[in-house]
Amino acid sequence: MADAANINAWDDMANRNPVVRFIDECLRGAGQVIFQNNPLTGIFFLAAIWWGSIVAGQVAVAVGATIALIIATFTAVLLDVDEPSLRQGLFGFNGILVGAAVPSFIAPGWTMWILLIIGAAVSTVVMLAISNIMKTWGVAALTFPFVLTTWFLMLSAYAFHRIPIAGLSAPALPHAANVTDLHATLGNYLEYLFKGPAQVFLINNAISGLLVVIGLFINSRAAAIFALVGSAVGIIIALIFGGSPSAIANGLYGFSPVLTAVALGCVFYAPSWRVTLYALLGTIFTVIVQAALDTAMTPIGIPTFTAPFVFATWLFLLPKAKLKPHPHEEIKNGLFTKHPVAQDLPPT
């Protein structure tokens, strides 16, 4: 766990200095991608993005994610959003994902950067809009602002010839899967396990995934455990049902289950055996939703992004199951109203 004295010293500095405060808000925004309100966790998440991007020769992804994080957070400042939500980084996490996605699927060039800047700023507006809608049901917007914003950005590329497509699959009619079984060693599966958390940030790198898990562990051991369980569940269910070997190997069945497992297992409900089983069911269903949405999006030619996590988690939060709610995750107006700087596994 992060040292309390160091956390308090950083918080005091952020409270006194507006520049440090803005940096703190950005770092917390990075951490909030996986529900962690901790600037040190955010540093590890950014390190994961930069490492994976450099190794893959796609530095534009890391640059884009960093720029978008700053722009999304600054847009929230300009819009004079409520201070507690801003201080918790709740207007940066959708932006950082937009910034990672655009260079991943749009070819580098000046139009790509303009699209990224627009998308980053708009993600904050969409966050406010979706939060206002979701407050009716008392659930959080999650990463749906990122999903919706980026869907529009990706689809626009098909209409504008100055926005060259790089990584989007050509639209095609869905068809029954015809793939071979995955043949992998134990070492391979360990690599796939860590690629799941990395793919939350659109990074295909096991070391980046390890950095993500370390970042989670710094703030919450429970979150780190649930993230690994979610990734493992994604692999296992995909293997059972015969998912694409390349998708399994690249962690593409793992990233949404990672988010669902953390959300249901230790963020919106207090960890217990009942909650764990409930989260496990939701995580398994997320893999099925992932496959279904992959099929649905094939004719459109855009990725699902984290939509499977969003829809599955909403479905498992909306019933208001009689499970003890997490005392630190009260939802009001579609946003967290309480979110500790550091949290650990509470007693069951």
Side-chain angles (χ1 to χ4, degrees):
M1 301 299 295
D3 183 78
N6 291 334
I7 291 174
N8 291 333
W10 173 260
D11 286 344
D12 290 341
M13 192 184 307
N15 289 331
R16 294 193 306 268
N17 189 309
V19 175
V20 176
R21 181 166 61 249
F22 182 75
I23 294 172
D24 178 71
E25 291 163 356
C26 288
L27 292 176
R28 291 178 191 274
Q32 289 283 12
V33 173
I34 316 184
F35 308 105
Q36 306 306 301
N37 180 22
N38 188 314
L40 184 56
T41 298
I43 289 174
F44 270 86
F45 287 1
L46 283 169
I49 296 173
W50 276 91
W51 172 268
S53 299
I54 292 171
V55 169
Q58 296 178 316
V59 180
V61 173
V63 175
T66 306
I67 290 175
L69 172 63
I70 294 170
I71 290 174
T73 306
F74 188 64
T75 301
V77 174
L78 294 178
L79 292 176
D80 195 24
V81 301
D82 66 288
E83 188 67 20
S85 297
L86 180 62
R87 290 290 288 116
Q88 294 171 34
L90 295 179
F91 294 96
F93 68 92
N94 283 291
I96 193 174
L97 293 176
V98 171
V102 172
S104 296
F105 298 102
I106 304 299
W110 62 274
T111 54
M112 183 273 285
W113 291 109
I114 292 176
L115 191 71
L116 185 149
I117 291 169
I118 294 171
V122 169
S123 71
T124 296
V125 177
V126 177
M127 176 64 170
L128 290 167
I130 299 298
S131 296
N132 279 336
I133 294 171
M134 298 312 296
K135 71 180 181 182
T136 304
W137 296 279
V139 296
L142 305 177
T143 58
F144 193 59
F146 150 64
V147 172
L148 190 60
T149 301
T150 312
W151 275 348
F152 285 133
L153 297 179
M154 296 298 105
L155 284 171
S156 73
Y158 287 105
F160 297 132
H161 77 273
R162 289 200 177 96
I163 302 179
I165 295 169
L168 293 175
S169 300
L173 293 176
H175 55 81
N178 182 21
V179 298
T180 59
D181 291 333
L182 178 64
H183 301 287
T185 65
L186 181 61
N188 293 141
Y189 284 117
L190 186 62
E191 179 183 358
Y192 307 158
L193 179 70
F194 282 99
K195 282 188 177 181
Q199 285 286 8
V200 171
F201 300 91
L202 291 89
I203 298 297
N204 183 18
N205 186 282
I207 294 178
S208 291
L210 177 61
L211 290 171
V212 170
V213 173
I214 292 172
L216 289 170
F217 189 85
I218 287 171
N219 193 57
S220 168
R221 287 177 292 176
I225 293 170
F226 274 107
L228 289 174
V229 170
S231 184
V233 168
I235 294 171
I236 293 169
I237 298 302
L239 286 172
I240 289 174
F241 289 129
S244 163
S246 63
I248 296 172
N250 291 320
L252 297 179
Y253 278 110
F255 66 93
S256 276
V258 163
L259 292 168
T260 301
V262 174
L264 297 178
C266 63
V267 173
F268 296 103
Y269 297 115
S272 69
W273 283 112
R274 291 176 66 233
V275 166
T276 298
L277 292 175
Y278 190 71
L280 179 61
L281 179 61
T283 304
I284 292 171
F285 185 60
T286 300
V287 184
I288 297 172
V289 175
Q290 174 80 61
L293 288 180
D294 284 344
T295 303
M297 290 298 176
T298 296
I300 304 176
I302 57 175
T304 61
F305 297 118
T306 57
F309 146 67
V310 172
F311 293 142
T313 301
W314 277 347
L315 289 174
F316 275 72
L317 290 176
L318 287 169
K320 306 292 185 183
K322 293 182 179 179
L323 301 168
K324 183 181 178 182
H326 197 297
H328 299 300
E329 301 296 341
E330 181 182 350
I331 300 296
K332 184 177 181 181
N333 295 332
L335 296 170
F336 300 130
T337 57
K338 296 179 182 178
H339 205 316
V341 171
Q343 64 186 49
D344 201 351
L345 180 65
T348 57

